[in-house]
Amino acid sequence: MNELRASGERGYADHGWLRSFHSFSFAGYHDPRHTGYGPLRVINEDRVQAGAGFGTHGHRDMEIISYVLEGALAHQDSMGNGSTIVPGDVQRMSAGRGVQHSEFNHDKSGTTHFLQIWIEPQVRGIAPEYEQKHFAAEEKRGRLRLIASPDGAQGSVRIHQDVRVYAGLFDGAERARFELGAGRKAYVHVARGAISVNGQRLSAGDALKTDERSLELAAGEGAEVLLFDLPAVHP
C-alpha cells in the first residue's frame, strides 16, 4: 500500500504572525481521511514571524518533537527548562500529566521555520520530561540518522512509544535503503527539496504512507526527509 499525502492538500492557517500547514487534522482544520497515521498525530509545518511566538499554553499525554529547519526557536517550560533550538537540534518534550510552555522567535527580522510533531505515548500520566540533542548535517548526509526512538538508541532522543524517527539529507547520487520490520509501516515526510521514494517523486511538504517492506530513497534535490517507522496496528 502506497498513499500520497500531497503538500497542497494539507490544511492551512494564516494568523499573520504564524503560517502553518497541517498534515493531519489540527485546531480548526478537520479532514476525517487525515486524523493521524498510527500513533503519529500531528505534523505542522510552522513559520513564525520575527518577534512573535506561542505564548504559555499547556499540553498533556503527548510526545512533542520540534525540528527546526531555519532560524531559531526559544523555549521555556514549567519544568524550568529554557533553551534555544536551531537547525540540527531535535527537542523532545513528553507532556505526561501536564506541562506549560512557550515558544518564540526572538529574531528582529528572520522567520523561524520548523516542524512540530506530536506522537501519542504508550503510557499516560507520567512525569513530564524534556530532552534536546543536536545532530550535525554530516550525520544525516546521504543516510537516515535515527533521531528519536523508544530506547534512546544511537544517541537519539527517547520517546514513550514504539516509533523510530529518522532524518536524512540527500542530493544527486546519494541514496539510502530502509527495511521495514514485520508488522510495521512508514510515513515519509519531505521537509524541503525533492526526492524519489520507491520511484514516487515527492516534493517539499509531500508525504508517503507505505507498508512496503523495502524503501529506496534516491535522486534527491536539496532534500531533507523525515521517516517515521510506526507500528502497523495502533489501538
Side-chain angles (χ1 to χ4, degrees):
M1 178 276 292
N2 285 319
E3 180 186 342
L4 173 67
R5 178 56 163 140
S7 172
E9 296 175 359
R10 294 178 296 172
Y12 177 66
D14 188 343
H15 302 286
W17 65 273
L18 168 70
R19 291 187 296 123
S20 184
F21 289 94
H22 309 314
S23 294
F24 303 107
S25 296
F26 184 85
Y29 165 65
H30 181 72
D31 184 337
R33 300 168 302 162
H34 301 288
T35 58
Y37 191 58
L40 178 59
R41 284 290 178 257
V42 168
I43 300 180
N44 287 347
E45 181 183 358
D46 292 341
R47 288 177 173 84
V48 181
Q49 297 303 305
F54 303 88
T56 301
H57 60 284
H59 296 283
R60 63 183 304 120
D61 292 323
M62 195 64 69
E63 301 294 298
I64 300 171
I65 296 172
S66 297
Y67 187 95
V68 174
L69 296 163
E70 294 177 37
L73 192 67
H75 167 94
Q76 296 277 341
D77 65 43
S78 55
M79 294 177 278
N81 298 298
S83 64
T84 299
I85 315 164
V86 298
D89 287 352
V90 175
Q91 180 202 74
R92 182 268 301 186
M93 188 173 70
S94 296
R97 56 178 172 259
V99 67
Q100 299 277 322
H101 80 136
S102 63
E103 298 164 296
F104 274 88
N105 172 14
H106 290 307
D107 193 272
K108 295 288 191 281
S109 58
T111 297
T112 294
H113 181 196
F114 78 108
L115 299 179
Q116 180 183 167
I117 299 158
W118 293 8
I119 296 170
E120 284 190 344
Q122 284 179 317
V123 291
R124 295 179 177 272
I126 64 171
E129 298 173 354
Y130 180 87
E131 189 178 12
Q132 182 177 332
K133 293 191 175 183
H134 185 79
F135 300 89
E138 50 267 29
E139 297 182 62
K140 298 175 281 187
R141 171 58 56 199
R143 64 187 290 258
L144 291 168
R145 171 63 161 96
L146 184 66
I147 61 170
S149 68
D151 56 2
Q154 300 173 32
S156 60
V157 300
R158 180 175 176 267
I159 54 176
H160 297 277
Q161 180 55 271
D162 183 20
V163 170
R164 289 164 181 80
V165 186
Y166 299 80
L169 302 171
F170 298 93
D171 259 313
E174 296 170 340
R175 61 177 59 221
R177 180 178 293 276
F178 187 84
E179 302 294 335
L180 271 179
R184 310 292 293 179
K185 61 185 179 181
Y187 190 89
V188 184
H189 179 88
V190 180
R192 54 184 161 194
I195 198 167
S196 293
V197 181
N198 286 4
Q200 172 77 57
R201 195 66 178 166
L202 304 176
S203 297
D206 289 344
L208 185 69
K209 301 177 181 179
T210 182
D211 59 6
E212 291 191 17
R213 295 277 69 82
S214 184
L215 303 178
E216 179 86 14
L217 285 71
E221 296 178 50
E224 187 158 4
V225 179
L226 294 181
L227 185 150
F228 298 83
D229 179 354
L230 305 156
V233 177
H234 178 65

